[in-house]
């Protein structure tokens, strides 16, 4: 069994935004497959949103988490695009999109990003999409399925931190308090101009350790630092309780929940609890993975996602 630090290293080497792949053009059934290094953009809700896409068929939209961008899905593009049109967007404020300045005040709520996602889907003239979200991106995908169920054919959620579903118990409230304490420490470090220390604190918050920061290449650290501003906003806003239990109980979209074998208890409990409340959900344990999921065990992650979407 891999050690915890080995898992972290694998995760961040692979999903930390190392860069796009070598240019290529492939054909499938006489339809051009767009290379993942051919970046596109679309104007939605006052912002230019960049994305990459590959493949043809029913659309899958990949939604990254905090301090990330569309590069978080580098290990999914080729495999998923063999059967689907795969689209990975960089959310508002994520590189290479416009980013706020250090002292700007801006909205980074789940609702704002969900409205962006709806506008993005409509801007591409898609009648629907399969949504795959990771971490904060999973929260956004979940919010979108609740508000616009006709646009979401299926939903894959990689460890969304839905606090409302674990609050109200001694254990859940304790885990939430610890998570928020760590998030607040990250905000304080950022406001003191200590960006590197802020990234380290983020790692401690979601992974329980910052050891990975000292192991990964500088290019990976640069990716985290490049996308730090929205991560700080998320930590400061703490919008993880914005989805109600009643909304979850009423959601009919077929949903796959994926949690890592070694993920922090806070995130694992949220996935377990969601699986109990959502009417049409199933839960899969991803072996040899922590919260990095699609980067730590991409082969099995991709297989699980393809199997699920293929049945919808």
């Amino acid at each position: 069994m891999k050690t915890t630090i080995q898992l972290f290293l694998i995760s961040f080497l692979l999903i930390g935004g190392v860069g796009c792949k070598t240019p290529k053009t492939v054909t499938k059934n006489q339809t051009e497959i767009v290379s993942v290094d051919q970046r596109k953009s679309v104007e939605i809700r006052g912002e230019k949103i960049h994305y990459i896409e590959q493949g043809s068929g029913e659309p899958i939209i990949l939604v990254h988490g905090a301090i990330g961008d569309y590069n978080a899905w580098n290990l999914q593009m080729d495999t998923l695009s063999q059967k689907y049109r795969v689209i990975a967007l960089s959310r508002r404020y994520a590189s290479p999109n416009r980013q706020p300045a250090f002292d700007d005040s801006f909205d980074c709520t789940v609702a704002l990003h969900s409205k962006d996602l709806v506008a993005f889907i409509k801007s591409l003239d898609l009648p629907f999409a399969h949504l795959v979200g990771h971490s904060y991106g999973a929260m956004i995908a979940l919010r979108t399925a609740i508000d616009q169920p006709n646009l979401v054919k299926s939903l894959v959620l990689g460890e969304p931190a839905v606090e409302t579903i674990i609050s109200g118990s001694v254990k859940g409230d304790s885990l939430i308090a610890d998570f928020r304490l760590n998030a607040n420490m990250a905000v304080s470090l950022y406001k003191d101009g200590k960006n590197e220390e802020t990234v380290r604190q983020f790692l401690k918050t979601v992974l329980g350790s910052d050891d990975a920061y000292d192991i990964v290449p500088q290019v990976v650290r640069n990716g985290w630092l490049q996308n730090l501003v929205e991560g700080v906003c998320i930590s400061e806003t703490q919008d993880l309780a914005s989805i109600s239990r009643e909304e979850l109980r009423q959601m009919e979209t077929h949903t796959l929940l994926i949690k890592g074998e070694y993920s922090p208890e806070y995130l694992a409990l949220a996935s377990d609890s969601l699986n109990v409340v959502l009417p049409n959900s199933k839960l899969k344990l991803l072996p040899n993975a922590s919260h990095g999921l699609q980067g730590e065990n991409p082969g099995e992650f991709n297989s699980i996602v393809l199997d699920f979407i293929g049945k919808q």
Side-chain angles (χ1 to χ4, degrees):
M1 182 177 68
K2 296 183 178 70
T3 65
T4 300
I5 190 59
Q6 285 175 315
L7 288 170
F8 292 170
L9 174 58
I10 293 169
S11 171
F12 293 122
L13 279 172
L14 296 179
I15 68 172
V18 178
C20 295
K21 301 179 181 179
T22 303
K24 63 180 179 180
T25 301
V26 187
T27 59
K28 176 182 178 183
N29 298 328
Q30 304 303 312
T31 301
E32 182 181 27
I33 296 178
V34 179
S35 174
V36 295
D37 64 336
Q38 295 177 353
R39 190 172 68 203
K40 298 181 176 182
S41 66
V42 62
E43 295 278 349
I44 60 166
R45 291 165 41 82
E47 294 287 340
K48 178 181 285 188
I49 300 298
H50 290 83
Y51 66 99
I52 52 179
E53 69 171 300
Q54 185 173 338
S56 60
E58 290 188 354
I60 297 175
I61 296 180
L62 307 174
V63 190
H64 66 83
I67 66 169
D69 53 44
Y70 52 41
N71 285 301
W73 304 101
N74 280 346
L75 295 178
Q76 280 60 61
M77 298 298 292
D78 283 347
T79 301
L80 300 185
S81 66
Q82 292 177 22
K83 294 185 178 181
Y84 298 94
R85 178 185 178 187
V86 186
I87 304 164
L89 80 159
S90 281
R91 296 188 287 99
R92 183 186 294 241
Y93 315 129
S95 177
N97 301 331
R98 182 191 69 86
Q99 296 184 314
F102 176 86
D103 56 353
D104 283 349
S105 176
F106 59 97
D107 185 357
C108 60
T109 58
V110 172
L112 173 110
H113 286 296
S114 176
K115 290 175 182 175
D116 280 354
L117 182 54
V118 170
F120 180 77
I121 293 170
K122 292 181 177 179
S123 73
L124 298 184
D125 295 322
L126 302 178
F128 64 83
H130 303 275
L131 298 184
V132 180
H134 174 244
S135 196
Y136 202 65
M139 291 281 294
I140 294 161
L142 180 58
R143 176 82 265 168
T144 303
I146 291 170
D147 292 343
Q148 298 286 340
N150 293 335
L151 289 180
V152 183
K153 188 169 183 180
S154 72
L155 191 61
V156 178
L157 304 177
E159 298 188 341
V162 184
E163 289 186 349
T164 46
I165 206 66
I166 65 173
S167 63
S169 68
V170 173
K171 181 178 182 180
D173 288 344
S174 176
L175 291 171
I176 290 171
D178 287 344
F179 187 88
R180 292 190 174 187
L181 177 63
N182 283 310
N184 289 337
M185 291 175 63
V187 173
S188 296
L189 289 166
Y190 183 75
K191 289 183 176 180
D192 289 339
K194 300 176 179 178
N195 288 3
E196 180 178 309
E197 290 86 345
T198 303
V199 172
R200 287 183 177 276
Q201 184 59 37
F202 273 129
L203 299 183
K204 291 179 182 178
T205 302
V206 299
L207 298 170
S209 170
D210 68 348
D211 291 343
Y213 193 90
D214 297 315
I215 297 175
V216 299
Q218 186 62 46
V219 66
V220 178
R221 299 174 200 162
N222 291 343
W224 293 333
L225 292 165
Q226 175 67 35
N227 291 300
L228 189 56
V229 63
E230 194 229 5
V232 172
C233 179
I234 290 171
S235 296
E236 190 168 32
T237 303
Q238 297 187 351
D239 192 37
L240 302 178
S242 58
I243 297 175
S244 72
R245 292 172 183 255
E246 188 58 30
E247 287 176 315
L248 294 168
R249 291 190 187 100
Q250 294 179 2
M251 198 182 82
E252 297 182 357
T253 305
H254 287 270
T255 302
L256 171 66
L257 299 156
I258 302 178
K259 71 171 184 176
E261 182 179 4
Y262 306 118
S263 290
E265 189 175 13
Y266 169 86
L267 295 166
L269 179 61
S271 294
D272 291 340
S273 302
L274 281 169
N275 190 46
V276 172
V277 173
L278 291 172
N280 296 306
S281 69
K282 60 189 298 186
L283 175 66
K284 286 285 188 179
L285 180 70
L286 186 65
N288 298 320
S290 180
H291 186 57
L293 296 177
Q294 74 269 22
E296 293 179 69
N297 190 349
E300 187 127 3
F301 180 91
N302 295 344
S303 178
I304 290 172
V305 170
L306 284 172
D307 179 68
F308 173 74
I309 291 178
K311 296 175 181 177
Q312 306 310 311

